[in-house]
PDB file of all heavy atoms in Angstrom:
ATOM      1  N   LEU A1515      13.316   6.558  -7.530  1.00  0.00           N
ATOM      2  CA  LEU A1515      13.562   5.917  -6.233  1.00  0.00           C
ATOM      3  C   LEU A1515      12.587   4.753  -6.136  1.00  0.00           C
ATOM      4  O   LEU A1515      11.378   4.958  -6.046  1.00  0.00           O
ATOM      5  CB  LEU A1515      13.325   6.925  -5.099  1.00  0.00           C
ATOM      6  CG  LEU A1515      13.259   6.360  -3.674  1.00  0.00           C
ATOM      7  CD1 LEU A1515      14.583   5.716  -3.253  1.00  0.00           C
ATOM      8  CD2 LEU A1515      12.891   7.458  -2.671  1.00  0.00           C
ATOM      9  N   THR A1522      15.668  -0.988  -2.488  1.00  0.00           N
ATOM     10  CA  THR A1522      15.769   0.446  -2.237  1.00  0.00           C
ATOM     11  C   THR A1522      16.881   0.924  -3.159  1.00  0.00           C
ATOM     12  O   THR A1522      18.059   0.783  -2.856  1.00  0.00           O
ATOM     13  CB  THR A1522      16.086   0.733  -0.757  1.00  0.00           C
ATOM     14  OG1 THR A1522      15.074   0.100   0.041  1.00  0.00           O
ATOM     15  CG2 THR A1522      16.055   2.220  -0.453  1.00  0.00           C
ATOM     16  N   LEU A1524      18.227   3.776  -6.367  1.00  0.00           N
ATOM     17  CA  LEU A1524      18.121   5.057  -7.072  1.00  0.00           C
ATOM     18  C   LEU A1524      18.654   4.871  -8.482  1.00  0.00           C
ATOM     19  O   LEU A1524      19.786   4.412  -8.664  1.00  0.00           O
ATOM     20  CB  LEU A1524      18.964   6.112  -6.350  1.00  0.00           C
ATOM     21  CG  LEU A1524      18.412   6.617  -5.010  1.00  0.00           C
ATOM     22  CD1 LEU A1524      19.517   7.304  -4.212  1.00  0.00           C
ATOM     23  CD2 LEU A1524      17.231   7.561  -5.242  1.00  0.00           C
ATOM     24  N   LYS A1538      22.123   2.266  -3.888  1.00  0.00           N
ATOM     25  CA  LYS A1538      21.164   1.255  -3.427  1.00  0.00           C
ATOM     26  C   LYS A1538      21.447   0.941  -1.961  1.00  0.00           C
ATOM     27  O   LYS A1538      22.446   1.404  -1.410  1.00  0.00           O
ATOM     28  CB  LYS A1538      21.256   0.003  -4.283  1.00  0.00           C
ATOM     29  CG  LYS A1538      22.561  -0.757  -4.210  1.00  0.00           C
ATOM     30  CD  LYS A1538      22.385  -1.995  -5.050  1.00  0.00           C
ATOM     31  CE  LYS A1538      23.480  -2.998  -5.095  1.00  0.00           C
ATOM     32  NZ  LYS A1538      24.824  -2.726  -4.724  1.00  0.00           N
ATOM     33  N   THR A1539      20.578   0.157  -1.351  1.00  0.00           N
ATOM     34  CA  THR A1539      20.813  -0.168   0.045  1.00  0.00           C
ATOM     35  C   THR A1539      21.944  -1.191   0.151  1.00  0.00           C
ATOM     36  O   THR A1539      22.082  -2.075  -0.683  1.00  0.00           O
ATOM     37  CB  THR A1539      19.545  -0.695   0.743  1.00  0.00           C
ATOM     38  OG1 THR A1539      19.881  -0.971   2.108  1.00  0.00           O
ATOM     39  CG2 THR A1539      19.003  -1.954   0.094  1.00  0.00           C
ATOM     40  N   ARG A1540      22.725  -1.022   1.208  1.00  0.00           N
ATOM     41  CA  ARG A1540      23.826  -1.968   1.431  1.00  0.00           C
ATOM     42  C   ARG A1540      23.377  -3.126   2.301  1.00  0.00           C
ATOM     43  O   ARG A1540      24.089  -4.100   2.469  1.00  0.00           O
ATOM     44  CB  ARG A1540      24.964  -1.257   2.141  1.00  0.00           C
ATOM     45  CG  ARG A1540      25.471  -0.110   1.315  1.00  0.00           C
ATOM     46  CD  ARG A1540      26.926   0.078   1.584  1.00  0.00           C
ATOM     47  NE  ARG A1540      27.377   1.261   0.880  1.00  0.00           N
ATOM     48  CZ  ARG A1540      28.363   2.026   1.299  1.00  0.00           C
ATOM     49  NH1 ARG A1540      28.976   1.740   2.428  1.00  0.00           N
ATOM     50  NH2 ARG A1540      28.739   3.066   0.599  1.00  0.00           N
ATOM     51  N   ASP A1541      22.204  -2.964   2.925  1.00  0.00           N
ATOM     52  CA  ASP A1541      21.729  -4.054   3.797  1.00  0.00           C
ATOM     53  C   ASP A1541      20.234  -4.246   3.588  1.00  0.00           C
ATOM     54  O   ASP A1541      19.824  -4.751   2.564  1.00  0.00           O
ATOM     55  CB  ASP A1541      22.119  -3.790   5.257  1.00  0.00           C
ATOM     56  CG  ASP A1541      22.024  -2.319   5.642  1.00  0.00           C
ATOM     57  OD1 ASP A1541      20.911  -1.787   5.569  1.00  0.00           O
ATOM     58  OD2 ASP A1541      23.066  -1.711   6.003  1.00  0.00           O
ATOM     59  N   ALA A1544      14.120  -0.553   2.626  1.00  0.00           N
ATOM     60  CA  ALA A1544      13.353   0.295   3.547  1.00  0.00           C
ATOM     61  C   ALA A1544      12.085  -0.416   4.024  1.00  0.00           C
ATOM     62  O   ALA A1544      11.743  -0.368   5.211  1.00  0.00           O
ATOM     63  CB  ALA A1544      13.006   1.624   2.874  1.00  0.00           C
ATOM     64  N   PHE A1581      22.670   8.208  12.092  1.00  0.00           N
ATOM     65  CA  PHE A1581      23.097   7.319  11.021  1.00  0.00           C
ATOM     66  C   PHE A1581      24.605   7.254  10.971  1.00  0.00           C
ATOM     67  O   PHE A1581      25.281   8.281  11.068  1.00  0.00           O
ATOM     68  CB  PHE A1581      22.559   7.816   9.674  1.00  0.00           C
ATOM     69  CG  PHE A1581      21.104   7.506   9.508  1.00  0.00           C
ATOM     70  CD1 PHE A1581      20.136   8.452   9.822  1.00  0.00           C
ATOM     71  CD2 PHE A1581      20.705   6.262   9.067  1.00  0.00           C
ATOM     72  CE1 PHE A1581      18.794   8.158   9.693  1.00  0.00           C
ATOM     73  CE2 PHE A1581      19.363   5.957   8.929  1.00  0.00           C
ATOM     74  CZ  PHE A1581      18.407   6.905   9.239  1.00  0.00           C
ATOM     75  N   ALA A1582      25.108   6.032  10.827  1.00  0.00           N
ATOM     76  CA  ALA A1582      26.552   5.857  10.724  1.00  0.00           C
ATOM     77  C   ALA A1582      27.033   6.507   9.430  1.00  0.00           C
ATOM     78  O   ALA A1582      26.366   6.443   8.410  1.00  0.00           O
ATOM     79  CB  ALA A1582      26.885   4.375  10.711  1.00  0.00           C
ATOM     80  N   MET A1584      28.916   6.657   6.128  1.00  0.00           N
ATOM     81  CA  MET A1584      29.285   5.536   5.268  1.00  0.00           C
ATOM     82  C   MET A1584      30.449   5.880   4.370  1.00  0.00           C
ATOM     83  O   MET A1584      30.513   6.965   3.806  1.00  0.00           O
ATOM     84  CB  MET A1584      28.086   5.124   4.428  1.00  0.00           C
ATOM     85  CG  MET A1584      27.200   4.156   5.172  1.00  0.00           C
ATOM     86  SD  MET A1584      26.194   3.284   4.022  1.00  0.00           S
ATOM     87  CE  MET A1584      25.257   4.635   3.368  1.00  0.00           C
ATOM     88  N   ALA A1588      28.204   7.889  -1.647  1.00  0.00           N
ATOM     89  CA  ALA A1588      27.378   8.687  -0.730  1.00  0.00           C
ATOM     90  C   ALA A1588      25.896   8.550  -1.047  1.00  0.00           C
ATOM     91  O   ALA A1588      25.056   9.016  -0.279  1.00  0.00           O
ATOM     92  CB  ALA A1588      27.800  10.147  -0.814  1.00  0.00           C
ATOM     93  N   LEU A1589      25.568   7.940  -2.181  1.00  0.00           N
ATOM     94  CA  LEU A1589      24.159   7.783  -2.535  1.00  0.00           C
ATOM     95  C   LEU A1589      23.604   6.422  -2.128  1.00  0.00           C
ATOM     96  O   LEU A1589      22.446   6.116  -2.390  1.00  0.00           O
ATOM     97  CB  LEU A1589      23.966   8.006  -4.049  1.00  0.00           C
ATOM     98  CG  LEU A1589      24.417   9.389  -4.542  1.00  0.00           C
ATOM     99  CD1 LEU A1589      24.244   9.511  -6.048  1.00  0.00           C
ATOM    100  CD2 LEU A1589      23.665  10.512  -3.830  1.00  0.00           C
ATOM    101  N   ASP A1590      24.420   5.603  -1.477  1.00  0.00           N
ATOM    102  CA  ASP A1590      23.921   4.319  -0.963  1.00  0.00           C
ATOM    103  C   ASP A1590      23.139   4.516   0.329  1.00  0.00           C
ATOM    104  O   ASP A1590      23.397   5.456   1.078  1.00  0.00           O
ATOM    105  CB  ASP A1590      25.088   3.352  -0.696  1.00  0.00           C
ATOM    106  CG  ASP A1590      25.547   2.638  -1.958  1.00  0.00           C
ATOM    107  OD1 ASP A1590      24.829   2.730  -2.987  1.00  0.00           O
ATOM    108  OD2 ASP A1590      26.613   2.002  -1.925  1.00  0.00           O
ATOM    109  N   PHE A1591      22.216   3.603   0.583  1.00  0.00           N
ATOM    110  CA  PHE A1591      21.412   3.635   1.811  1.00  0.00           C
ATOM    111  C   PHE A1591      21.887   2.547   2.768  1.00  0.00           C
ATOM    112  O   PHE A1591      22.515   1.574   2.366  1.00  0.00           O
ATOM    113  CB  PHE A1591      19.948   3.311   1.504  1.00  0.00           C
ATOM    114  CG  PHE A1591      19.280   4.238   0.550  1.00  0.00           C
ATOM    115  CD1 PHE A1591      19.207   3.932  -0.801  1.00  0.00           C
ATOM    116  CD2 PHE A1591      18.697   5.409   1.006  1.00  0.00           C
ATOM    117  CE1 PHE A1591      18.556   4.775  -1.685  1.00  0.00           C
ATOM    118  CE2 PHE A1591      18.045   6.254   0.127  1.00  0.00           C
ATOM    119  CZ  PHE A1591      17.978   5.944  -1.229  1.00  0.00           C
ATOM    120  N   SER A1592      21.521   2.723   4.042  1.00  0.00           N
ATOM    121  CA  SER A1592      21.704   1.651   5.013  1.00  0.00           C
ATOM    122  C   SER A1592      20.587   1.762   6.037  1.00  0.00           C
ATOM    123  O   SER A1592      20.324   2.844   6.564  1.00  0.00           O
ATOM    124  CB  SER A1592      23.061   1.776   5.701  1.00  0.00           C
ATOM    125  OG  SER A1592      23.107   0.871   6.788  1.00  0.00           O
ATOM    126  N   PHE A1593      19.897   0.664   6.277  1.00  0.00           N
ATOM    127  CA  PHE A1593      18.794   0.690   7.244  1.00  0.00           C
ATOM    128  C   PHE A1593      19.004  -0.258   8.414  1.00  0.00           C
ATOM    129  O   PHE A1593      18.207  -0.271   9.347  1.00  0.00           O
ATOM    130  CB  PHE A1593      17.458   0.380   6.556  1.00  0.00           C
ATOM    131  CG  PHE A1593      17.043   1.455   5.594  1.00  0.00           C
ATOM    132  CD1 PHE A1593      17.240   1.302   4.233  1.00  0.00           C
ATOM    133  CD2 PHE A1593      16.474   2.630   6.057  1.00  0.00           C
ATOM    134  CE1 PHE A1593      16.867   2.304   3.344  1.00  0.00           C
ATOM    135  CE2 PHE A1593      16.095   3.641   5.185  1.00  0.00           C
ATOM    136  CZ  PHE A1593      16.302   3.473   3.822  1.00  0.00           C
ATOM    137  N   SER A1594      20.073  -1.070   8.378  1.00  0.00           N
ATOM    138  CA  SER A1594      20.202  -2.070   9.441  1.00  0.00           C
ATOM    139  C   SER A1594      20.563  -1.424  10.782  1.00  0.00           C
ATOM    140  O   SER A1594      20.142  -1.893  11.838  1.00  0.00           O
ATOM    141  CB  SER A1594      21.194  -3.156   9.047  1.00  0.00           C
ATOM    142  OG  SER A1594      22.486  -2.628   9.086  1.00  0.00           O
ATOM    143  N   LEU A1596      19.511   1.423  11.880  1.00  0.00           N
ATOM    144  CA  LEU A1596      18.263   1.968  12.417  1.00  0.00           C
ATOM    145  C   LEU A1596      17.447   0.865  13.091  1.00  0.00           C
ATOM    146  O   LEU A1596      16.912   1.034  14.198  1.00  0.00           O
ATOM    147  CB  LEU A1596      17.490   2.586  11.251  1.00  0.00           C
ATOM    148  CG  LEU A1596      16.186   3.297  11.532  1.00  0.00           C
ATOM    149  CD1 LEU A1596      16.378   4.393  12.552  1.00  0.00           C
ATOM    150  CD2 LEU A1596      15.627   3.867  10.231  1.00  0.00           C
ATOM    151  N   PHE A1645      10.955   6.551  14.127  1.00  0.00           N
ATOM    152  CA  PHE A1645      11.512   5.580  13.187  1.00  0.00           C
ATOM    153  C   PHE A1645      11.095   5.943  11.754  1.00  0.00           C
ATOM    154  O   PHE A1645      11.928   6.030  10.850  1.00  0.00           O
ATOM    155  CB  PHE A1645      11.029   4.161  13.548  1.00  0.00           C
ATOM    156  CG  PHE A1645      11.193   3.178  12.426  1.00  0.00           C
ATOM    157  CD1 PHE A1645      12.440   2.643  12.122  1.00  0.00           C
ATOM    158  CD2 PHE A1645      10.095   2.810  11.639  1.00  0.00           C
ATOM    159  CE1 PHE A1645      12.594   1.749  11.065  1.00  0.00           C
ATOM    160  CE2 PHE A1645      10.240   1.930  10.582  1.00  0.00           C
ATOM    161  CZ  PHE A1645      11.493   1.395  10.295  1.00  0.00           C
ATOM    162  N   GLN A1646       9.793   6.172  11.561  1.00  0.00           N
ATOM    163  CA  GLN A1646       9.320   6.499  10.206  1.00  0.00           C
ATOM    164  C   GLN A1646       9.968   7.784   9.696  1.00  0.00           C
ATOM    165  O   GLN A1646      10.372   7.877   8.540  1.00  0.00           O
ATOM    166  CB  GLN A1646       7.790   6.629  10.191  1.00  0.00           C
ATOM    167  CG  GLN A1646       7.273   7.048   8.828  1.00  0.00           C
ATOM    168  CD  GLN A1646       5.764   6.945   8.703  1.00  0.00           C
ATOM    169  OE1 GLN A1646       5.204   5.869   8.819  1.00  0.00           O
ATOM    170  NE2 GLN A1646       5.112   8.065   8.467  1.00  0.00           N
ATOM    171  N   HIS A1647      10.082   8.758  10.603  1.00  0.00           N
ATOM    172  CA  HIS A1647      10.705  10.031  10.234  1.00  0.00           C
ATOM    173  C   HIS A1647      12.158   9.806   9.775  1.00  0.00           C
ATOM    174  O   HIS A1647      12.609  10.400   8.803  1.00  0.00           O
ATOM    175  CB  HIS A1647      10.644  10.983  11.427  1.00  0.00           C
ATOM    176  CG  HIS A1647      11.303  12.290  11.199  1.00  0.00           C
ATOM    177  ND1 HIS A1647      10.790  13.231  10.334  1.00  0.00           N
ATOM    178  CD2 HIS A1647      12.444  12.827  11.700  1.00  0.00           C
ATOM    179  CE1 HIS A1647      11.591  14.289  10.318  1.00  0.00           C
ATOM    180  NE2 HIS A1647      12.603  14.059  11.136  1.00  0.00           N
ATOM    181  N   ALA A1648      12.872   8.931  10.488  1.00  0.00           N
ATOM    182  CA  ALA A1648      14.275   8.656  10.138  1.00  0.00           C
ATOM    183  C   ALA A1648      14.367   7.989   8.766  1.00  0.00           C
ATOM    184  O   ALA A1648      15.233   8.327   7.948  1.00  0.00           O
ATOM    185  CB  ALA A1648      14.919   7.778  11.209  1.00  0.00           C
ATOM    186  N   VAL A1649      13.465   7.051   8.486  1.00  0.00           N
ATOM    187  CA  VAL A1649      13.484   6.372   7.168  1.00  0.00           C
ATOM    188  C   VAL A1649      13.199   7.396   6.064  1.00  0.00           C
ATOM    189  O   VAL A1649      13.897   7.439   5.044  1.00  0.00           O
ATOM    190  CB  VAL A1649      12.446   5.225   7.109  1.00  0.00           C
ATOM    191  CG1 VAL A1649      12.382   4.636   5.703  1.00  0.00           C
ATOM    192  CG2 VAL A1649      12.780   4.132   8.118  1.00  0.00           C
ATOM    193  N   ILE A1650      12.200   8.234   6.285  1.00  0.00           N
ATOM    194  CA  ILE A1650      11.822   9.226   5.269  1.00  0.00           C
ATOM    195  C   ILE A1650      12.985  10.185   5.003  1.00  0.00           C
ATOM    196  O   ILE A1650      13.297  10.501   3.852  1.00  0.00           O
ATOM    197  CB  ILE A1650      10.567  10.012   5.728  1.00  0.00           C
ATOM    198  CG1 ILE A1650       9.357   9.081   5.753  1.00  0.00           C
ATOM    199  CG2 ILE A1650      10.315  11.213   4.834  1.00  0.00           C
ATOM    200  CD1 ILE A1650       8.114   9.696   6.396  1.00  0.00           C
ATOM    201  N   THR A1651      13.641  10.623   6.074  1.00  0.00           N
ATOM    202  CA  THR A1651      14.766  11.546   5.915  1.00  0.00           C
ATOM    203  C   THR A1651      15.881  10.893   5.113  1.00  0.00           C
ATOM    204  O   THR A1651      16.430  11.501   4.188  1.00  0.00           O
ATOM    205  CB  THR A1651      15.305  11.981   7.305  1.00  0.00           C
ATOM    206  OG1 THR A1651      14.205  12.480   8.061  1.00  0.00           O
ATOM    207  CG2 THR A1651      16.372  13.038   7.181  1.00  0.00           C
ATOM    208  N   GLU A1652      16.180   9.648   5.453  1.00  0.00           N
ATOM    209  CA  GLU A1652      17.222   8.906   4.737  1.00  0.00           C
ATOM    210  C   GLU A1652      16.862   8.800   3.243  1.00  0.00           C
ATOM    211  O   GLU A1652      17.689   9.052   2.369  1.00  0.00           O
ATOM    212  CB  GLU A1652      17.366   7.519   5.388  1.00  0.00           C
ATOM    213  CG  GLU A1652      18.227   6.497   4.658  1.00  0.00           C
ATOM    214  CD  GLU A1652      19.713   6.642   4.945  1.00  0.00           C
ATOM    215  OE1 GLU A1652      20.116   7.628   5.570  1.00  0.00           O
ATOM    216  OE2 GLU A1652      20.480   5.752   4.491  1.00  0.00           O
ATOM    217  N   LEU A1653      15.626   8.464   2.946  1.00  0.00           N
ATOM    218  CA  LEU A1653      15.199   8.300   1.547  1.00  0.00           C
ATOM    219  C   LEU A1653      15.254   9.621   0.790  1.00  0.00           C
ATOM    220  O   LEU A1653      15.828   9.702  -0.307  1.00  0.00           O
ATOM    221  CB  LEU A1653      13.776   7.732   1.478  1.00  0.00           C
ATOM    222  CG  LEU A1653      13.592   6.292   1.947  1.00  0.00           C
ATOM    223  CD1 LEU A1653      12.111   5.920   1.967  1.00  0.00           C
ATOM    224  CD2 LEU A1653      14.367   5.317   1.051  1.00  0.00           C
ATOM    225  N   LEU A1654      14.669  10.661   1.386  1.00  0.00           N
ATOM    226  CA  LEU A1654      14.556  11.927   0.643  1.00  0.00           C
ATOM    227  C   LEU A1654      15.888  12.651   0.512  1.00  0.00           C
ATOM    228  O   LEU A1654      16.152  13.296  -0.498  1.00  0.00           O
ATOM    229  CB  LEU A1654      13.498  12.828   1.272  1.00  0.00           C
ATOM    230  CG  LEU A1654      12.056  12.342   1.063  1.00  0.00           C
ATOM    231  CD1 LEU A1654      11.068  13.352   1.629  1.00  0.00           C
ATOM    232  CD2 LEU A1654      11.744  12.083  -0.421  1.00  0.00           C
ATOM    233  N   THR A1655      16.758  12.514   1.526  1.00  0.00           N
ATOM    234  CA  THR A1655      18.057  13.187   1.445  1.00  0.00           C
ATOM    235  C   THR A1655      18.858  12.637   0.268  1.00  0.00           C
ATOM    236  O   THR A1655      19.389  13.387  -0.551  1.00  0.00           O
ATOM    237  CB  THR A1655      18.862  12.968   2.752  1.00  0.00           C
ATOM    238  OG1 THR A1655      18.050  13.381   3.837  1.00  0.00           O
ATOM    239  CG2 THR A1655      20.159  13.732   2.743  1.00  0.00           C
ATOM    240  N   ARG A1656      18.897  11.295   0.168  1.00  0.00           N
ATOM    241  CA  ARG A1656      19.702  10.717  -0.923  1.00  0.00           C
ATOM    242  C   ARG A1656      19.020  10.873  -2.284  1.00  0.00           C
ATOM    243  O   ARG A1656      19.680  10.990  -3.307  1.00  0.00           O
ATOM    244  CB  ARG A1656      20.033   9.269  -0.624  1.00  0.00           C
ATOM    245  CG  ARG A1656      20.875   9.183   0.638  1.00  0.00           C
ATOM    246  CD  ARG A1656      21.607   7.886   0.800  1.00  0.00           C
ATOM    247  NE  ARG A1656      21.894   7.672   2.209  1.00  0.00           N
ATOM    248  CZ  ARG A1656      22.835   8.312   2.901  1.00  0.00           C
ATOM    249  NH1 ARG A1656      23.604   9.190   2.300  1.00  0.00           N
ATOM    250  NH2 ARG A1656      23.010   8.062   4.168  1.00  0.00           N
ATOM    251  N   ALA A1657      17.696  10.866  -2.284  1.00  0.00           N
ATOM    252  CA  ALA A1657      16.992  11.076  -3.557  1.00  0.00           C
ATOM    253  C   ALA A1657      17.272  12.489  -4.075  1.00  0.00           C
ATOM    254  O   ALA A1657      17.554  12.682  -5.259  1.00  0.00           O
ATOM    255  CB  ALA A1657      15.493  10.851  -3.392  1.00  0.00           C
ATOM    256  N   ALA A1658      17.229  13.471  -3.172  1.00  0.00           N
ATOM    257  CA  ALA A1658      17.474  14.857  -3.594  1.00  0.00           C
ATOM    258  C   ALA A1658      18.916  15.034  -4.060  1.00  0.00           C
ATOM    259  O   ALA A1658      19.173  15.713  -5.062  1.00  0.00           O
ATOM    260  CB  ALA A1658      17.155  15.820  -2.448  1.00  0.00           C
ATOM    261  N   LEU A1681       5.910   9.933   3.824  1.00  0.00           N
ATOM    262  CA  LEU A1681       6.870  10.140   2.738  1.00  0.00           C
ATOM    263  C   LEU A1681       6.271  11.068   1.671  1.00  0.00           C
ATOM    264  O   LEU A1681       6.932  11.997   1.193  1.00  0.00           O
ATOM    265  CB  LEU A1681       7.255   8.786   2.118  1.00  0.00           C
ATOM    266  CG  LEU A1681       8.194   8.807   0.930  1.00  0.00           C
ATOM    267  CD1 LEU A1681       9.564   9.371   1.290  1.00  0.00           C
ATOM    268  CD2 LEU A1681       8.381   7.393   0.344  1.00  0.00           C
TER     269      LEU A1681
END
Side-chain angles (χ1 to χ4, degrees):
L1515 168 63
T1522 304
L1524 287 162
K1538 65 176 184 341
T1539 181
R1540 300 211 185 150
D1541 38 62
F1581 284 96
M1584 274 200 297
L1589 301 178
D1590 278 349
F1591 300 96
S1592 170
F1593 293 100
S1594 72
L1596 183 56
F1645 162 77
Q1646 177 170 298
H1647 177 70
V1649 174
I1650 292 171
T1651 307
E1652 170 83 351
L1653 292 174
L1654 289 184
T1655 306
R1656 298 198 204 285
L1681 177 63

